[in-house]
Amino acid sequence: MTSNAAPTTATQPTATRPAVTPSPAATPASGDTLVPPTLRDVLDARRTLAPHLETTPVRSYAPLDAATGAHVVVKHENLLPTGAFKVRGALNLLLRTTPAERARGVVAFSTGNHAQAVAYAARATGTPCTIVMPTDPNPTKAAAVRDLGADLVLHGHTFDDARAHATALAGRTGARLVSAANEPHLVAGVATAYLELLEQAPDLDVVVVPVGGGSGAAAACLVARALAPDLEVIAVQSDAAPAAHDSWQTGELVNRPITSRAEGLATGCGFALTQAVLREHLGDFVLVTDDAIDHAAGLFLTGARTVAETAGAAGLAAVLADPDRFSGRRVGVVCTGGNASPAELRRVLAAAAP
Ligand SMILES: *Cc1c(COP(=O)(O)O)cnc(C)c1O
């Protein structure tokens, strides 16, 4: 098992929550000032989502404890509709729009789970939905978006091309562009997972959250800061797509190349809203290799009867990578998603122990 050295904890001054001006790169459609959600917003989101989403289970597995030396509690976000935590955020956002806003429709660009979440929430709220993906999308995820009734537009070779097209489309049609991270209602919806987790496992010492755009880790920070200030929140990203990690470390929104195989973590830039929250409360941000993530996904399969997509296994990878830090502690590991492609599963199994 290899891992990168964990950077030291940031000790930036924390004050009241500042409003955040998103960078144009991070939120192409919005120059608005974003204010992070409060605990009140998260409680509100829980009430809004309650009729739509069940509480996801937490489970412990002896093979995971044996492999890590820790007491691991897995939060099973892979069991939500659409197979990833992102549906919490998209549903909370769309359930709060007015009929007039819904009539104008929504647009999102994504290679994966954000697209499915927005399409699912759009269907649930009767909102016309267009999803833009690059021209050779993951066929499983493209099919899922179509099955949810969204209009799928394939445009450009890269994520950036798709983003530019989605932005132009929204500008032309008046549809609302839904960012994967710079959306307070989305972060508040995602944060309901951490309210649940604190109720289900109130004695956790630390929670480890896989990061792409940072909505999940920011959500964990907001809930921990309000309800469990001594709960350590650790973020993890692939070292082959370190934009969020590097943004947190440098204190600036940086762009980084993406070579990671873990789609859910493969975000090329830091996002203003989530980075602002992470800077205030995140305990640490670590990097793991794609191979370590594959190994952890294999352990989820063989040791926890759980199909995790590789992004969803990054938290477990971080715990496996640093026994000195985690052994003997009660560690929440968020399994963020289960939408593994057949090719991904074959690779993971090939790398798993015999
Ligand atoms: C989107 C996603 C992530 C990263 O979440 P962010 O909130 O963008 O940081 C992690 N795992 C899975 C499965 C995802 O779909």
Side-chain angles (χ1 to χ4, degrees):
M1 180 71 44
T2 56
S3 90
N4 287 22
T8 51
T9 300
T11 50
Q12 287 152 358
T14 65
T16 51
R17 63 191 68 235
V20 176
T21 305
S23 77
T27 18
S30 167
D32 296 345
T33 296
L34 300 170
V35 179
T38 62
L39 184 64
R40 187 201 296 263
D41 298 319
V42 182
L43 293 169
D44 222 17
R46 175 159 70 176
R47 204 176 51 234
T48 300
L49 294 176
H52 300 272
L53 300 175
E54 286 177 42
T55 298
T56 59
V58 299
R59 294 278 184 273
S60 290
Y61 304 93
L64 268 49
D65 287 359
T68 59
H71 307 290
V72 173
V73 173
V74 178
K75 176 68 169 163
H76 277 288
E77 295 290 283
N78 55 307
L79 297 179
L80 282 163
T82 78
F85 74 91
K86 287 194 173 71
V87 69
R88 294 179 187 268
L91 255 182
N92 188 52
L93 192 151
L94 279 189
L95 286 166
R96 281 159 197 287
T97 53
T98 64
E101 287 168 329
R102 287 181 201 178
R104 286 198 291 276
V106 288
V107 179
F109 56 91
S110 161
T111 53
N113 289 332
H114 177 57
Q116 283 189 67
V118 172
Y120 181 94
R123 189 182 63 177
T125 54
T127 306
C129 175
T130 304
I131 300 293
V132 184
M133 289 183 169
T135 44
D136 60 342
N138 174 332
T140 315
K141 289 179 175 172
V145 162
R146 282 203 189 92
D147 289 348
L148 287 165
D151 187 8
L152 180 64
V153 175
L154 301 181
H155 187 96
H157 294 295
T158 67
F159 194 66
D160 277 343
D161 297 336
R163 174 167 65 196
H165 189 67
T167 306
L169 208 63
R172 205 162 60 234
T173 64
R176 187 190 195 294
L177 187 67
V178 181
S179 164
N182 276 340
E183 299 278 6
H185 288 314
L186 183 147
V187 174
V190 170
T192 59
Y194 297 92
L195 284 184
E196 291 175 13
L197 181 60
L198 279 183
E199 286 171 351
Q200 293 165 313
D203 58 353
L204 288 182
D205 298 312
V206 51
V207 61
V208 188
V209 187
V211 170
S215 74
C221 285
L222 290 167
V223 171
R225 187 175 56 186
L227 294 177
D230 57 344
L231 173 65
E232 191 182 358
V233 181
I234 297 181
V236 55
Q237 197 168 33
S238 166
D239 67 1
H245 169 272
D246 290 3
S247 295
W248 181 75
Q249 271 215 324
T250 61
E252 286 166 30
L253 301 180
V254 302
N255 296 293
R256 290 290 181 265
I258 297 170
T259 56
S260 176
R261 299 184 294 255
E263 268 171 16
L265 312 183
T267 303
C269 61
F271 288 82
L273 176 65
T274 51
Q275 286 290 332
V277 175
L278 297 181
R279 265 177 232 135
E280 282 188 57
H281 188 84
L282 188 69
D284 201 357
F285 201 142
V286 302
L287 294 172
V288 291
T289 64
D290 272 13
D291 286 348
I293 293 174
D294 280 359
H295 176 80
L299 184 59
F300 263 126
L301 275 175
T302 59
R305 309 179 290 278
T306 296
V307 176
E309 63 187 280
T310 45
L316 182 57
V319 179
L320 288 164
D322 197 349
D324 286 348
R325 175 178 216 154
F326 293 104
S327 70
R329 302 178 77 194
R330 293 175 293 260
V331 183
V333 163
V334 187
C335 181
T336 45
N339 292 316
S341 70
E344 191 175 350
L345 286 174
R346 277 193 292 273
R347 187 185 71 238
V348 160
L349 272 179

